[in-house]
Structures are given as structure tokens and as C-alpha cells.
Amino acid sequence: MEQKKAYKYRVYPTNEQKQILARTFGCARFVSNWALRCKTDAFYQEQKRLYYKDLSEMLTALKKQGEYVWLNDVSSVPLQQALRHLDKAFVNFFEGRAAYPRFKHKRQKQAATYTSNAFTWRDGQLTLAKMKEPLSIVWSRPLPKDAVPSRVTVSKDSTDRYFVSILVEENIAPLPVTPKTVGADLGLKSYVILSTGETIGNPKFFHTDEKKLAKAQRRHAKKKKGSKNKEKARLKVAKIHARIADRRRDFQHKLSTRLIRENQTICVESLAVKNMVKNQSLSKAISDVGWSEFVSQLEYKATWYGRTLVKIDKWYPSSKRCFDCGHILDSLALEVRHWTCPKCGVHHDRDLNASKNIHAAGLTVREACGEAVRPGAVKTKPGTSQRSRKPRS
């Protein structure tokens, strides 16, 4: 089955290309902020909703005004794509997947998206609109044979590194079917505890560089605003942040790919990370571990390679439920890492017992064709009662 897949590479543009990209980034950022202001004002002042078509017509009129003729110096495609991205951001907001769109800033990640009519792909070389020479791309891995890019996104991060993401349609072959299944309990002390008994430690990338980052931030705060030393200090801070993010992403990709290749079904718990980070004592550690990104990688890789990812209910008491007899404790403090079942007397490692319960519940959900089944007597929420019911298979 053909899937859309993006390949990301490092780019080293020339000085002339950097100037063209800088203008394109700036214009795309301006259009995005201008459109966000127009949509917000129209809704709160006139109770009117503006959509992509309305903003596109307004942008065409804006570019004809003498004050904004500089918008014509760059390709019109990235500007139209900025409107489409904003429209998608509002869809995500109204469907509860994201917060209200925010204004973009110059110091944040800059990006511009080009569709097929705004770039040239010939003999493995990519030339963007308004550019005379192709981009110098470091091909860290080859594109699929006979792949034709449908969309290209050029970005620059806060450390002034340039990247290009090439979207292609690829016929991804599913992996051979394997009888192996696994349950994964995500934690803080250990990153993942598998139902097989394997424990994968938490690298704690942010914690490792936290002191170095704090020192760089203090130096940055003491520099004179607007000076070159201030910019140099800012770059050092950004590089530390980028190093943390790169290492974390590399670790997550390697681990998620390994789990997908080794198992036919992976069972995980649905975690409300947005609510969990409100805990002031654990918010930094939860943000450092990156559970949401890891589960997201498992999700799309399972789709690519013909695997099954099962998310069990977040209220399922995986830690408090005895895997051997099904007894559920009334409460289990977070600092308690081992406990003995008062009914059958089996001694449990908290995380290993949770991963086994997640594995069993996930397989039950899979056999029920995706129905949200919770075997045994399960409380829907802490402190609430539940009518007696028979276990469903």
C-alpha cells in the first residue's frame, strides 16, 4: 500500500540562497500572523468566520497595496501554504487536538512549504522557485527509486541549521508476520518496561545537560541587549536545546523501530500527558521523557509496516491490579515500587506487573475488534463506584 512518507536532510545553502530563504521565511511568517489577526478580529468584533478562500482573496488584494509590494519578491506558493497551515491549525483547535494558534516569532523555527509547481526536481537535484542553483543536500539516506516529490518544506531551526523535508509516495512493504506481542509500561525511572521482563532505562537527556544549559542561560541574560555577544550567547543556548532534542528523538526512533520490527502487536497505555505535567514535582521529568512523541512514532510506524498498536483505557488500574489473581488495591502510592497481593500473596514489581496487565488488556481489546474492553472489575475513575458486571472476552 502506498503511503506518504517524508525524508528529512541537512541542507547547506549558498549566501544568495540564504537571502532568498530569509525573505521567504519572513513573508510566510508575516502572512501567517496577518491571517491569524484577521481571523481573530473578524470573529470577536464581527462574529464572522474567515476561511482559506476568504484569506486568499484578501492576500491577493494586500499584495497590490504599495505598503506590502515586497510580498511579491518571493514565490506565492509558500504564502498560500502558510494560509493552509493556519486553516489546519484552527481545525485541530476546534477538534480539541491543539491549543489556539499563536503568532510566530523570528527566533523560533522558520519554515516554508513548496508544492510541485514551485520547485524543480531533476536528476536528484532540487531547485526552489526564485533560485538559480540547486540546493546542496547531504543525502544521508537515499530516496526511494523513481520517487517524485509532491511537496518540499525548507526549515531553519534556532541554531541556524537548514533542513529540507521531501514528501513522496512510497510503496512500503509490510514486515513479515510474527507471533510475538508485547505490553509496554511507560515510566520515569525506566523509560519502558516490557511485559517480557526487559527494562529500558531512561536516558534523561535534559537532566544530563541541565547544569550546562543553566550556565549558558545565565551568561546570555547578562549580555547587553542587541549586541553581538548577546547573539553569540543565544546561539550557545539554542545549540544545547537542539542537542537535547536531537538525542531524545534519535533514541525514540531507534526504540520505536525496534519494537515495531520485533512484535506484531504492541500494547500501551493512553496517558493524559497534558494533565500529568500539571504536577509541579514531576512536570520537568515528564516533559523530558517525551511519552507523546514516542507513542506517536509507534502509531505511524505500525500503520506503515502492518503492525497493530493497541491503546488501553487510561483509567485501567494496571499498577494496582494483581496480574495473577485480578485483585485490585484500593490505593497504591507512587513511591511504592514493589507490593504483595493481599489475596494470593504474590510479590509484584510495580512496573513489570503493570506492563503484564497492559499486555493482557491490549490483547483483549484486539480480539474484540477494537472495542474498549476492560477485563475484570475495573473502576472507571478513582473514587467512583461501578455496577457489577461480568468480564467480557
Side-chain angles (χ1 to χ4, degrees), residues 72-86:
N72 297 291
D73 295 340
V74 302
S75 173
S76 61
V77 174
L79 308 187
Q80 294 293 330
Q81 290 300 311
L83 297 181
R84 292 187 182 276
H85 292 162
L86 181 65

Side-chain angles (χ1 to χ4, degrees), residues 352-364:
L352 180 58
N353 176 70
S355 65
K356 290 180 178 179
N357 282 323
I358 291 172
H359 184 214
L363 293 182
T364 305

Side-chain angles (χ1 to χ4, degrees), residues 88-343:
K88 180 64 176 178
F90 271 97
V91 171
N92 292 335
F93 166 69
F94 286 119
E95 293 183 358
R97 292 192 296 268
Y100 192 83
R102 296 184 295 179
F103 291 101
K104 299 181 182 296
H105 299 278
K106 186 177 182 180
R107 293 302 180 193
Q108 295 175 345
K109 178 183 176 181
Q110 307 295 309
T113 301
Y114 297 79
T115 54
S116 56
N117 60 336
F119 65 84
T120 303
W121 175 260
R122 185 176 300 142
D123 298 330
Q125 291 187 324
L126 179 67
T127 306
L128 302 177
K130 303 290 184 178
M131 292 186 182
K132 299 177 183 179
E133 300 177 357
L135 289 172
S136 177
I137 303 175
V138 179
W139 298 101
S140 54
R141 54 177 175 164
L143 281 175
K145 189 177 180 180
D146 301 328
V148 179
S150 59
R151 192 170 61 190
V152 167
T153 300
V154 182
S155 59
K156 186 183 80 167
D157 65 7
S158 56
T159 62
D160 294 340
R161 297 183 300 177
Y162 290 84
F163 298 92
V164 60
S165 178
I166 303 175
L167 182 67
V168 298
E169 285 193 359
E170 181 181 356
N171 190 7
I172 304 177
L175 293 171
V177 177
T178 174
K180 292 184 179 180
T181 60
V182 72
D185 179 53
L186 305 179
L188 294 178
K189 184 178 180 181
S190 299
Y191 192 87
V192 175
I193 301 90
L194 303 179
S195 57
T196 57
E198 181 182 359
T199 299
I200 300 167
N202 183 5
K204 298 183 179 180
F205 297 110
F206 178 82
H207 179 74
T208 303
D209 289 343
E210 189 173 7
K211 291 184 178 180
K212 186 188 297 184
L213 178 62
K215 184 177 180 180
Q217 288 174 330
R218 286 195 298 268
R219 289 183 175 180
H220 174 254
K222 294 178 181 179
K223 303 300 181 183
K224 184 179 179 181
K225 189 175 181 180
S227 65
K228 290 185 178 180
N229 287 335
K230 183 85 169 179
E231 175 60 21
K232 291 179 182 178
R234 183 204 65 80
L235 194 60
K236 289 183 179 180
V237 173
K239 285 182 178 180
I240 297 175
H241 277 296
R243 180 174 180 268
I244 295 170
D246 290 345
R247 293 168 64 211
R248 181 189 295 122
R249 192 180 303 110
D250 179 71
F251 171 79
Q252 291 172 338
H253 273 297
K254 289 178 179 177
L255 179 58
S256 60
T257 300
R258 179 198 146 195
L259 293 179
I260 290 293
R261 291 187 180 278
E262 292 179 353
N263 302 278
Q264 185 66 33
T265 302
I266 301 96
C267 308
V268 296
E269 191 174 12
S270 299
L271 298 174
V273 179
K274 185 177 179 180
N275 296 329
M276 295 174 70
V277 294
K278 295 179 181 179
N279 186 330
Q280 295 181 359
S281 301
L282 300 175
S283 59
K284 187 184 294 186
I286 293 173
S287 300
D288 185 18
V289 78
W291 289 327
S292 297
E293 174 63 21
F294 178 69
V295 174
S296 177
Q297 291 179 11
L298 286 174
E299 197 165 6
Y300 71 73
K301 289 178 183 179
T303 304
W304 284 352
Y305 300 112
R307 301 309 201 199
T308 303
L309 178 68
V310 181
K311 297 180 181 179
I312 70 169
D313 191 274
K314 64 183 178 181
W315 295 112
Y316 180 69
S318 57
S319 298
K320 298 188 294 182
R321 188 177 193 269
C322 175
F323 177 73
D324 291 81
C325 68
H327 176 74
I328 300 176
L329 299 178
D330 293 331
S331 62
L332 184 65
L334 189 62
E335 61 270 13
V336 178
R337 310 314 302 175
H338 296 82
W339 60 279
T340 302
C341 178
K343 187 173 182 180

